[in-house]
């Protein structure tokens, strides 16, 4: 067994204490606090058949995340995030546009939904249209529910 001179041992021990102290100080540093418990902007958008969003049969659904970059399974996440930013996350502004279509009065309800978080705030939105034609006419020109 090799003996380590006392001076060398003392130097090594002092270095270990110093490094240990730095590691402890780093570990004890206060963690960064989140402004919200929610992600910045992450949504699930859906189109379902039925009157009530809680009981309607989901036909299509996509994910949309707008922060830090536009991503998700939405076919055009960049355009959808841009539209949401323009209306400050007010889905009702996108879903209630004037219809440019002539539709039948057939009652075959379609529900569009948005659940998740927009800019750190929880979102739960739904609106019901009389049929697919009314939905397409009311959301015409908007990308958010075009999937």
């Amino acid at each position: 067994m090799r003996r380590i001179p006392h001076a060398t041992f003392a130097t090594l021990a002092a270095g270990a204490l110093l490094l240990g102290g730095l590691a402890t100080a780093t570990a004890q540093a206060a963690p960064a606090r989140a402004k919200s418990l929610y992600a910045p902007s992450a949504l699930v958008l859906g189109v379902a058949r039925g009157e009530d969003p809680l009981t309607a049969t989901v036909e299509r659904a996509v994910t949309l995340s707008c922060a830090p970059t536009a991503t998700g399974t939405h076919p055009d996440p960049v355009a959808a995030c841009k539209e949401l930013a323009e209306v400050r996350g007010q889905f009702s502004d996108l879903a209630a546009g004037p219809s440019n279509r002539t539709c039948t009065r057939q009652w075959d309800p379609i529900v569009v939904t948005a659940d998740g978080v927009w800019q750190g705030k929880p979102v739960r939105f739904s609106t019901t249209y009389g049929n697919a034609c009314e939905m397409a006419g009311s959301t015409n020109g908007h990308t958010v529910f075009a999937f």
Side-chain angles (χ1 to χ4, degrees):
M1 182 160 127
R2 184 173 169 211
R3 292 186 70 103
I4 300 174
H6 182 69
T8 304
F9 182 77
T11 303
L12 290 173
L17 285 174
L18 178 62
L19 288 175
L22 287 176
T24 302
T26 303
Q28 292 176 351
R33 301 236 185 240
K35 293 180 183 179
S36 172
L37 294 176
Y38 300 102
S41 294
L43 303 158
V44 175
L45 307 173
V47 175
R49 188 157 307 275
E51 294 180 43
D52 184 345
L54 298 176
T55 59
T57 303
V58 177
E59 292 186 333
R60 302 181 303 277
V62 296
T63 59
L64 179 65
S65 178
C66 295
T69 59
T71 62
T73 59
H74 192 285
D76 193 350
V78 173
C81 289
K82 182 180 176 191
E83 284 178 3
L84 281 170
E86 288 171 357
V87 297
R88 297 169 309 284
Q90 297 298 313
F91 285 90
S92 56
D93 290 353
L94 298 174
S99 179
N100 62 353
R101 292 184 176 202
T102 302
C103 298
T104 65
R105 304 285 286 165
Q106 174 188 1
W107 183 247
D108 187 14
I110 299 288
V111 178
V112 295
T113 60
D115 290 300
V117 179
W118 175 255
Q119 294 185 343
K121 295 181 181 162
V123 171
R124 176 155 279 183
F125 169 81
S126 70
T127 192
T128 304
Y129 299 99
N131 56 47
C133 179
E134 285 183 14
M135 181 193 85
S138 294
T139 60
N140 187 37
H142 297 294
T143 306
V144 174
F145 291 108
F147 53 88

